[in-house]
Amino acid sequence: MSRRLLLLLTLTCAVGVGTVYFPQAVSPLVVTALHASPGSASLVVTAIQIGYTAGIFLLVPLGDRLPHRPFLVTLLALTGAGLLAAGCAPGLAPLLAAAAVVGVTTVAAQVIGPLAAGLVAADRRGAVLGTLLSGSTGGMLLARTFGGTLGEWLGWRAPYLAAGAVALLLAAVLARTLPVTTATSRRPYPALLAEPLRLLRTEPELRRSCLYQAAVFGAFSAVWTCLALLLTGPAYGLGAHAVGMLALVGAVTMLCTPYAGRLVDRRGADRVNLCCLLGVLVSAAVLAAGAGGGAAGLAALAGGTLLLDVSMQSGTVANLARVYAVRPDARSRLNTAYMTCAYLGGSGGSWLGVRIYGRAGWQGVCALVALLAVIALARHLVAPHGRDARQAGGDGRGAPVPAGIGGPPTAAPPVGSAGRTV
């Protein structure tokens, strides 16, 4: 894993994740250009998001079955072709069809994570995963700005065409630069699809990591879903653009996740998780101070959302480092199980958050965040960290051991055992 390759994979993660988000900014332009209703145009965003979830379930497990270079190149090529087709769509129906294809195939970031985990020594895995996650975060944050600015300047088709060209260019570059890897599983495709559920039943470290991420991502989703209601409500009376401006504080996480990864390498995943869960609990108290409005309230919201964002993303690095150490030969299937639980937790958090906000207001949402953090903390405090870490190929601290000690050797063929969020 050279620095050049790491930078290229980080850029690929940014483009892959950004592809899911930039259509949100382009949707109003589609309404005007194609004479569609706002509800119909929003279906483009929905099609990509549903397709992305389907791609995680249907395609990511194939990372254990197929060599990574042709698999990633094919995914990026299909994504690029889908984006170009969307940019040339003559009407809403073809645009929806192309968006669905883009959503299913733009799962490169979820394939790159397991790949990178197998290309580096265990004592560098956290740092590499943190760097990749910073790229995904940057892609998510900048995608809306990219799509909105380019769309206003050149029309709604321009962001799709530009993103398609970038995806095809990355496919060509990766076809020449990615190392050759070998498959780690010969299971038939139906068995690969069923494997994530079996791993959830049999691997306690995977279940623990999934619980942490589902709880924290649920808290994150509840806050950001209800934040728009708070800012546009009587307490603040701001416009919808205020939510986008507040979201920019999350850019700090791009700098924090690589550092969190290095802490995972040095101190172990469990210690980083503990700090992150405590950070989520503290963020609930800080966010609660933002219910009153005014400049002080806005400052509390900025500080609380920043602490929540950093805690969630840093915890993700720790969780992934632990998950990828469980079964080096099944990292893509493990990632499928992990990401599925994360998205279920996020969806549940959004659903609960809106309903609690309607009954108990912003303070109720903050109480939900605190409750989810306490649930995860309670599980963390009773977890048999040392035993589970050793079973997962760890060093007793929650950090993975070097390959060849409880894992596959570092000879050339098993490097292919490389096999994600947000």
Side-chain angles (χ1 to χ4, degrees), residues 31-294:
V31 171
T32 303
L34 297 183
H35 308 290
S37 67
S40 299
S42 67
L43 291 177
V44 177
V45 177
T46 303
I48 289 183
Q49 292 175 338
I50 293 176
Y52 187 69
T53 305
I56 290 175
F57 178 75
L58 296 173
L59 297 182
V60 171
L62 287 172
D64 294 330
R65 183 71 172 80
L66 303 174
H68 288 97
R69 183 161 67 184
F71 186 36
L72 267 175
V73 169
T74 301
L75 286 176
L76 286 169
L78 290 174
T79 299
L83 288 167
L84 294 179
C88 298
L92 187 60
L95 178 58
L96 286 173
V101 172
V102 170
V104 171
T105 58
T106 187
V107 292
Q110 306 305 329
V111 176
I112 287 173
L115 164 65
L119 292 178
V120 296
D123 59 355
R124 286 191 58 215
R125 190 172 295 148
V128 168
L129 292 175
T131 302
L132 294 176
L133 186 58
S134 70
S136 297
T137 303
M140 180 177 62
L141 291 174
L142 298 177
R144 297 181 182 93
T145 302
F146 158 79
T149 302
L150 193 61
E152 289 284 355
W153 186 29
L154 297 176
W156 72 269
R157 299 180 187 274
Y160 284 98
L161 296 176
V166 171
L168 292 177
L169 178 61
L170 282 173
V173 174
L174 289 176
R176 300 179 62 87
T177 57
L178 273 182
V180 176
T181 61
T182 57
T184 61
S185 174
R186 296 297 180 187
R187 287 176 176 268
Y189 181 61
L192 284 178
L193 294 183
E195 187 75 0
L197 183 59
R198 189 190 70 79
L199 289 169
L200 275 172
R201 292 198 307 266
T202 59
E203 299 294 346
E205 290 292 82
L206 173 62
R207 290 198 303 272
R208 183 158 69 96
S209 300
C210 288
L211 174 62
Y212 296 163
Q213 190 64 18
V216 174
F217 192 44
F220 175 88
S221 299
V223 166
W224 282 102
T225 301
C226 299
L227 194 60
L229 302 176
L230 176 66
L231 291 177
T232 58
Y236 287 93
L238 300 175
H241 69 281
V243 181
M245 295 301 295
L246 191 60
L248 291 179
V249 303
V252 177
T253 61
M254 297 174 60
L255 304 176
C256 294
T257 49
Y259 177 70
R262 291 193 290 271
L263 282 179
V264 170
D265 292 334
R266 292 199 301 265
R267 302 293 185 180
D270 285 343
R271 293 186 183 182
V272 174
N273 270 136
L274 178 59
C275 293
C276 292
L277 293 175
L278 291 173
V280 174
L281 189 58
V282 173
S283 75
V286 177
L287 287 167

Side-chain angles (χ1 to χ4, degrees), residues 19-20 28 55 79-80 106-107 127 175 259 285 334 339 349 364-365 369 373 391 409-410:
T19 298
V20 181
T79 299
T106 187
V107 292
Y259 177 70
L334 290 165
M339 292 303 301
V365 175
V369 172
Q391 288 176 347
T410 54

Side-chain angles (χ1 to χ4, degrees), residues 313-339:
Q313 299 286 18
S314 299
T316 299
V317 178
N319 290 329
L320 286 174
R322 184 188 299 108
V323 166
Y324 289 155
V326 170
R327 283 270 306 276
D329 63 321
R331 288 190 174 115
S332 290
R333 285 163 283 173
L334 290 165
N335 195 42
T336 298
Y338 175 81
M339 292 303 301

